[in-house]
Amino acid sequence: DTGVSQDPRHKITKRGQNVTFRCDPISEHNRLYWYRQTLGQGPEFLTYFQNEAQLEKSRLLSDRFSAERPKGSFSTLEIQRTEQGDSAMYLCASSLEGFNQPQHFGDGTRLSIL
Amino acid sequence: GNSVTQMEGPVTLSEEAFLTINCTYTATGYPSLFWYVQYPGEGLQLLLKATKADDKGSNKGFEATYRKETTSFHLEKGSVQVSDSAVYFCALGPTGSSASKIIFGSGTRLSIRP
């Protein structure tokens, strides 16, 4: 059983650099979600896709953040001009379509800004 | 808006003790309720869920009952093990205002002493 896969697991970069994370969802799942989790807090929703369409974005997702899912399979999350406050764990999840479908999470990408 | 409040941690118990982690919610509509668990260095795993009032979710000896009258979804386990040490998140599923996002509580860290 292949779960949600995220790459890289850790990313350390200097302030001002751009970073890109990748998420591969469970293959039959057409919904994909991005969350951000800071230390000691629960995950906060950033955005979600149904197939290749980005259907909802949180106001947490500033204009430095962009997410894509070009072919409705894997997704990328890019952060431009990183800031100290971007340091967090970025979690990807996927689910089947439907209101009560559980979301399955990957192990996350931990971003540290120097 | 919708929100989840859960018991602050850390909670430290001895092995075989009884566990309760309190969770209450505020929501419009009739969301599903979830408990997720996060082991060190890993992403979130769905522990159990309940989709309507009076439903009881259960898994691995953990239980939680969806109580609409008290807007609660407390997590319980009769006899905890060292391997249960983790962070537990109560979460509110999508409602009509958002078809996608899960709203998480801030998490409760549980440590079990041998």
Side-chain angles (χ1 to χ4, degrees):
Chain A
D1 178 27
T2 305
V4 177
S5 176
Q6 292 189 245
D7 184 69
R9 290 295 308 275
H10 304 275
K11 179 70 177 178
I12 302 173
T13 193
K14 293 182 179 178
R15 185 168 52 90
Q17 297 295 305
N18 299 345
V19 293
T20 300
F21 311 138
R22 177 181 170 122
C23 171
D24 287 89
I26 293 171
S27 58
E28 60 266 29
H29 287 182
N30 62 345
R31 286 191 173 175
L32 185 148
Y33 314 80
W34 286 99
Y35 290 81
R36 181 173 68 188
Q37 184 180 20
T38 53
L39 204 61
Q41 299 298 314
E44 296 174 293
F45 172 81
L46 293 178
T47 188
Y48 106 96
F49 293 82
Q50 181 156 308
N51 301 311
E52 65 275 10
Q54 188 173 17
L55 296 186
E56 188 172 349
K57 291 164 62 172
S58 162
R59 60 181 179 274
L60 291 175
L61 211 66
S62 76
D63 56 6
R64 295 184 299 103
F65 288 69
S66 62
E68 294 182 345
R69 194 182 183 198
K71 296 181 181 178
S73 57
F74 73 91
S75 175
T76 57
L77 178 68
E78 181 183 17
I79 309 174
Q80 296 182 327
R81 305 181 303 281
T82 52
E83 300 173 355
Q84 289 283 352
D86 297 332
S87 294
M89 175 78 87
Y90 290 85
L91 295 168
C92 177
S94 70
S95 76
L96 294 168
E97 189 173 345
F99 224 51
N100 288 324
Q101 293 296 331
Q103 296 179 18
H104 300 264
F105 285 78
D107 287 342
T109 294
R110 180 168 296 286
L111 174 64
S112 299
I113 307 296
L114 301 177
Chain B
N2 294 353
S3 65
V4 175
T5 302
Q6 65 180 101
M7 182 172 163
E8 283 191 24
V11 174
T12 303
L13 296 172
S14 297
E15 204 165 20
E16 299 184 0
F18 184 86
L19 169 71
T20 300
I21 300 178
N22 290 338
C23 171
T24 57
Y25 67 91
T26 302
T28 55
Y30 303 97
S32 295
L33 298 173
F34 306 93
W35 277 99
Y36 280 83
V37 58
Q38 187 172 34
Y39 298 100
E42 298 183 12
L44 281 77
Q45 299 176 23
L46 178 64
L47 181 59
L48 53 84
K49 71 172 186 177
T51 58
K52 61 183 186 298
D54 299 325
D55 264 4
K56 178 186 282 187
S58 61
N59 186 26
K60 299 181 181 179
F62 290 89
E63 293 183 342
T65 301
Y66 191 159
R67 302 283 188 202
K68 195 167 184 297
E69 64 277 12
T70 55
T71 62
S72 66
F73 192 55
H74 305 321
L75 182 69
E76 295 182 336
K77 186 174 185 181
S79 177
V80 292
Q81 306 300 313
V82 172
S83 58
D84 294 327
S85 298
V87 182
Y88 292 81
F89 293 93
C90 184
L92 194 66
T95 63
S97 60
S98 168
S100 58
K101 67 180 176 183
I102 292 177
I103 296 173
F104 288 88
S106 57
T108 302
R109 181 174 299 278
L110 174 66
S111 296
I112 307 300
R113 292 187 300 253

